[in-house]
Amino acid sequence: MKFYLDTANVEEINRINRLGLLDGVTTNPSIIAKEGRDFEETIKEICSIVDGPVSAEVIGLTVDEMVEEARNIETWADNVVVKIPMTEAGLEAVHILSKEGIKTNVTLIFSVAQGLMAAKAGATFVSPFVGRVDDIGEDGIELIQNLNQTLINYNFDTEIITASVRTIGHLEKAAVAGAHIATIPGSLLPKLWKHPLTDNGIQQFLADWEKVPKKAETLS
Ligand code: E4P
């Protein structure tokens, strides 16, 4: 499973990059707004750090606006991917952009039908929102399972980015379901590697190590 960060925070990106775990980054307008920095400058900096796709979202809602923004965003870096919302205009824009070789990530996917339409239009990535699906009393992981099986059934190259990940359970279950990618918010990062039994184990080993005779003590 590829592992993206769902953040525009450069410190968080560097932190996980140092561990060798980072395969890409996703952003959206809310994530960009949190950083209080210029959009283009932020995306260019992230693209220079990350050796993998970095999603930057368009704001326009018409086909012409989305295509124009996408063509501009695409010039910012070799590894930038244009995020397009799942609407009729979005599908048309994705179709145009895919023919130009511009990579797209169709976002705000809440059903198998939406994911299938995006893949057919030529999306490079689709982003089903598991957390927001759970929020309305449905099953986000079931959406990942069903969408993944659908893309396999028809041999699509489109990759699933499991988005709106709120828990480690979401990440693990999306991996079991076969999602290609999970994008994780920075707030979830420490939970990826921390476990109370690991911490207890380290404390126990250190306490026991104190009881081991040291060379100087043995000689005296
Ligand atoms: C990423 O592509 C999505 O925009 C993001 O995961 C949405 O997460 P949220 O539902 O927690 O805002």
Side-chain angles (χ1 to χ4, degrees), residues 6 26-28 31 57 83 105 107 127 129 131-132 161-166 183 185:
D6 201 20
T26 52
T27 67
N28 62 32
I31 286 171
E57 190 158 341
K83 218 170 177 192
N105 170 4
T107 187
S127 289
F129 277 35
R132 294 194 200 186
I161 302 179
T162 309
S164 190
V165 169
R166 306 262 170 82
T183 189

Side-chain angles (χ1 to χ4, degrees), residues 97-120:
L97 295 167
S98 73
K99 285 192 284 185
E100 295 178 16
I102 296 178
K103 290 186 175 161
T104 54
N105 170 4
V106 178
T107 187
L108 293 161
I109 298 278
F110 293 93
S111 71
V112 172
Q114 287 183 317
L116 180 57
M117 293 308 107
K120 282 179 74 68

